Amino acid sequence: MLQYQIIPVTPFQQNCTIFWCDETMQAAVVDPGGDIEKLIAFISEKKLTLAKVLLTHAHIDHAGATQAMVDHFGVKIEGPHSEDQFWIDLIPEQKQRFGFTHAEAFQTDRWLEQGDKVHFGNIELEVYFCPGHTPGHVVFFHRPSKLAQVGDVLFRGSVGRTDFPRGDSATLIKSIKENLFPLGDDVRFIPGHGPMGTFGEERIHNPYVGEGVR
């Protein structure tokens, strides 16, 4: 069975998530933006074996501590989609702009695309390509738990910003309506920031992508 813990990191309070398999205690960390000491402490406390780093996209608050995690644990990186390479290249510039520490560019071991799957322990996550917030954004979905980690695509009552370089509002809305909502109203989602929600609530009530929006 999949277990998870949300650990807000960085001044942006980004929802880094540690997923683990309760049978093997193998884990994956999704979007380690920073505050690596918090992540290491939790992994140690739970006696987990980190298997990989997973990335929804490459903004610094989601990916800044990726290389530090790799250096500490000796694991591989999976994600995001290759269209986010330019954001990875911009991490040193973002580091200076936002005053981050321990944020370095990195080289992913596996770009992810629609239909791919990632594994750790006995857990399988499905990959959905959901551009718009960034051009290479992906979402991770655990079908047995009906749980999705959606990064900055969708929030409770809102959607991801599209005013960053190569963001696109129409593309984002299409990603949500065509790739996320069909997974089911009862799917719970972990957003990149803020509280969890369900696709059903957002499909009906979200002021940007809800049924009443034209």
Side-chain angles (χ1 to χ4, degrees):
M1 184 177 294
L2 178 70
Q3 304 291 332
Y4 69 93
Q5 178 68 40
I6 300 169
I7 303 176
V9 296
T10 84
F12 294 94
Q13 289 295 282
Q14 188 274 124
N15 287 335
C16 175
T17 308
I18 297 177
F19 286 124
W20 71 95
C21 168
D22 65 2
E23 295 174 328
T24 66
M25 301 304 281
Q26 280 203 357
V29 59
V30 184
D31 290 357
D35 297 333
I36 185 173
E37 66 283 348
K38 289 184 183 179
L39 308 180
I40 293 171
F42 181 84
I43 290 167
S44 175
E45 174 191 337
K46 290 291 185 180
K47 297 181 171 55
L48 304 176
T49 300
L50 191 68
K52 60 189 60 177
V53 174
L54 302 176
L55 297 175
T56 63
H57 65 295
H59 283 163
I60 191 169
D61 57 324
H62 290 255
T66 297
Q67 189 60 51
M69 292 293 285
V70 169
D71 292 343
H72 185 87
F73 289 102
V75 295
K76 294 188 180 299
I77 307 163
E78 298 190 12
H81 185 280
S82 60
E83 287 294 324
D84 262 19
Q85 176 67 62
F86 81 102
W87 276 117
I88 296 173
D89 296 339
L90 284 171
I91 284 178
E93 179 182 312
Q94 295 180 74
K95 176 181 177 179
Q96 290 189 332
R97 179 180 177 187
F98 295 110
F100 273 57
T101 57
H102 308 300
E104 309 295 338
F106 55 87
Q107 184 172 347
T108 192
D109 295 288
R110 179 190 178 197
W111 297 115
L112 296 176
E113 299 184 7
Q114 178 85 9
D116 282 346
K117 293 178 172 60
V118 299
H119 300 89
F120 53 95
N122 297 325
I123 301 298
E124 178 180 273
L125 303 180
E126 300 172 19
V127 176
Y128 290 84
F129 179 44
C130 294
H133 177 67
T134 71
H137 201 301
V138 298
V139 163
F140 299 103
F141 178 51
H142 186 243
R143 190 170 293 273
S145 300
K146 296 183 178 179
L147 178 69
Q149 164 56 270
V150 303
D152 285 355
V153 173
L154 181 69
F155 302 100
R156 276 185 65 177
S158 189
V159 296
R161 291 175 59 175
T162 56
D163 56 335
F164 297 117
R166 294 185 63 194
D168 185 82
S169 179
T171 301
L172 180 72
I173 290 170
K174 182 179 180 182
S175 292
I176 294 168
K177 289 186 173 182
E178 296 185 4
N179 243 353
L180 298 188
F181 286 171
L183 294 175
D185 285 352
D186 55 348
V187 172
R188 296 172 302 137
F189 68 90
I190 302 169
H193 308 263
M196 293 177 64
T198 67
F199 288 164
E201 290 172 352
E202 302 312 311
R203 183 181 60 77
I204 296 170
H205 300 296
N206 191 292
Y208 299 93
V209 290
E211 290 180 344
V213 178
R214 299 192 181 278

